[in-house]
Amino acid sequence: IHLKPMAESSNTVEVDKYTDKPGKAWERLKVKQQPIKLPNHPPQDPVSEDHVRFVCMSDTHGRVERSSLLVPAGDVLIHAGDFTMKGQIGEIMTFNAYLGSLPHTCKIVIAGNHDVTFDDEVLSGSKAVAFGVRKREFQKCLDELDVKKVQQLLTKCIYLQDSSIQLCGINIHGSPWSIKHFSAMAFQRRRGVEMGRLWQNIPDNLDILVTHTPCFGYGDTTTGNNNVGCVELLNTVQKRVQPKFHVFGHIHEGYGKWFDGTTTYINASTCNKKYRPVNQPIVFDYPIPEGHSKDELLRYLRKHNAQS
């Protein structure tokens, strides 16, 4: 199957000199930015055979499973992290069952900062206790379920963690990291060099990038009107990777779509600031490259299930 580990790029994007003062960095960067806010109008035509329809969600936090939110039909569902509040086994299993109830042929999921049990570093230390997770008790639960790692509980999706997948000739990469703001949370690093090193692992030949955190300046505005995204991710996306779509979440208030002339940025946060699942999934169609067909989705899924 086309599931690939991190493949470091040979092209380095230098750390921005104002990375610790992202507002100042944006004052300089925005001169060359022309972000266009796009309306969130889902495609009106039926799903075609020469396109893959992607349905994007994020930050559901265990709330969507018991909500009346309608998830549009499509070929591939993308979830950009924070599918739980605390990474507890019950939350994960409920989310997995929810994924199984959805009609999409493939589901792609990454973790976020709330999904603490997916981060080995957090789980192996004492930080997870702040989320009510005790490693010994957690491991005992996994043993009872006959799994070695919590990721194995996600049986209804393809889980990406700094790894890539190719579906119908479309290259997709997923990464869970976000900027550190609370020490007990998962997949967090400091601005600057630490984040820059992580983004170096994003491959060049991408069509769709899925991260938990937003780039700086795109879908990252909080209720206090502060931009809190990652400057290094913005430079990586615009100067090197240049994907057609960048799907993320993390900042609930930043829900929506933007276009910079090359990349469409999608903050697919389902929950609003009050953790209510009120934001509609964002949908887009992607043309299938020549030499590939939609039949590959089913073939891939059969191989993935056979090897899981």
Side-chain angles (χ1 to χ4, degrees), residues 278-303:
V278 296
N279 295 328
Q280 292 295 315
I282 295 179
V283 182
F284 66 88
D285 289 345
Y286 198 99
I288 297 175
E290 186 176 351
H292 295 271
S293 73
K294 196 173 287 190
D295 293 339
E296 294 174 34
L297 285 177
L298 286 173
R299 291 201 295 270
Y300 180 91
L301 196 60
R302 291 191 193 101
K303 290 181 181 179

Side-chain angles (χ1 to χ4, degrees), residues 10 14 17 95 111 132 146 154 170 177 188 205 219 228 252 289 304:
S10 59
E14 294 183 2
K17 65 179 180 180
F95 174 67
D146 196 28
L154 292 179
I170 302 168
W177 301 94
Q188 299 212 323
N205 59 334
V228 294
H252 297 191
H304 179 264

Side-chain angles (χ1 to χ4, degrees), residues 64-122:
V64 70
E65 294 90 336
R66 55 182 185 269
S67 76
S68 58
L69 186 76
L70 296 177
V71 180
D75 299 302
V76 179
L77 179 83
I78 292 177
H79 193 296
D82 277 5
F83 43 87
T84 71
M85 282 296 292
K86 298 182 178 181
Q88 299 281 10
I89 285 179
E91 294 179 289
I92 298 164
M93 295 181 72
T94 299
F95 174 67
N96 187 60
Y98 173 72
L99 289 177
S101 72
L102 298 175
H104 310 83
T105 304
C106 288
K107 292 101 176 180
I108 296 173
V109 174
I110 68 169
N113 57 297
H114 276 260
D115 308 314
V116 294
T117 54
F118 283 74
D119 186 337
D120 291 339
E121 182 180 322
V122 173

Side-chain angles (χ1 to χ4, degrees), residues 198-218:
L198 294 168
W199 306 138
Q200 184 68 16
N201 294 315
I202 300 173
D204 294 337
N205 59 334
L206 276 190
D207 300 298
I208 301 171
L209 172 62
V210 185
T211 64
H212 185 56
T213 197
C215 294
F216 195 91
Y218 291 84

Side-chain angles (χ1 to χ4, degrees), residues 38-253:
L38 302 176
N40 183 22
H41 296 322
Q44 299 301 309
D45 298 330
V47 182
S48 65
E49 285 303 310
D50 59 352
H51 284 70
V52 173
R53 178 159 292 178
F54 290 88
V55 179
C56 305
M57 305 174 71
S58 185
D59 297 83
T60 50
H61 291 287
R63 308 300 174 88
V64 70
E65 294 90 336
R66 55 182 185 269
S67 76
S68 58
L69 186 76
L70 296 177
V71 180
D75 299 302
V76 179
L77 179 83
I78 292 177
H79 193 296
D82 277 5
F83 43 87
T84 71
M85 282 296 292
K86 298 182 178 181
Q88 299 281 10
I89 285 179
E91 294 179 289
I92 298 164
M93 295 181 72
T94 299
F95 174 67
N96 187 60
Y98 173 72
L99 289 177
S101 72
L102 298 175
H104 310 83
T105 304
C106 288
K107 292 101 176 180
I108 296 173
V109 174
I110 68 169
N113 57 297
H114 276 260
D115 308 314
V116 294
T117 54
F118 283 74
D119 186 337
D120 291 339
E121 182 180 322
V122 173
L123 186 60
S124 62
S126 60
K127 296 177 181 179
V129 175
F131 278 71
V133 178
R134 288 174 170 78
K135 184 181 179 182
R136 186 173 297 177
E137 296 174 4
F138 189 80
Q139 188 59 53
K140 182 180 178 181
C141 290
L142 292 182
D143 291 342
E144 291 173 353
L145 292 167
D146 196 28
V147 296
K148 294 182 179 180
K149 303 217 18 127
V150 67
Q151 288 85 345
Q152 292 175 269
L153 295 176
L154 292 179
T155 60
K156 303 299 182 180
C157 69
I158 298 162
Y159 176 73
L160 297 181
Q161 185 173 311
D162 292 315
S163 54
S164 303
I165 185 176
Q166 187 184 89
L167 295 176
C168 304
I170 302 168
N171 294 311
I172 305 166
H173 183 84
S175 181
W177 301 94
S178 58
I179 293 166
K180 190 171 185 176
H181 69 283
F182 180 55
S183 60
M185 288 187 161
F187 301 110
Q188 299 212 323
R189 291 291 186 268
R190 293 182 178 87
R191 291 184 181 274
V193 173
E194 291 186 8
M195 293 300 288
R197 285 173 180 163
L198 294 168
W199 306 138
Q200 184 68 16
N201 294 315
I202 300 173
D204 294 337
N205 59 334
L206 276 190
D207 300 298
I208 301 171
L209 172 62
V210 185
T211 64
H212 185 56
T213 197
C215 294
F216 195 91
Y218 291 84
D220 70 331
T221 306
T222 65
T223 51
N225 203 32
N226 296 312
N227 295 94
V228 294
C230 182
V231 176
E232 271 59 59
L233 183 56
L234 176 67
N235 286 331
T236 298
V237 166
Q238 293 188 335
K239 295 180 179 180
R240 178 170 66 80
V241 181
Q242 297 184 338
K244 292 293 187 295
F245 290 89
H246 177 203
V247 182
F248 53 91
H250 192 42
I251 306 303
H252 297 191
E253 311 96 295

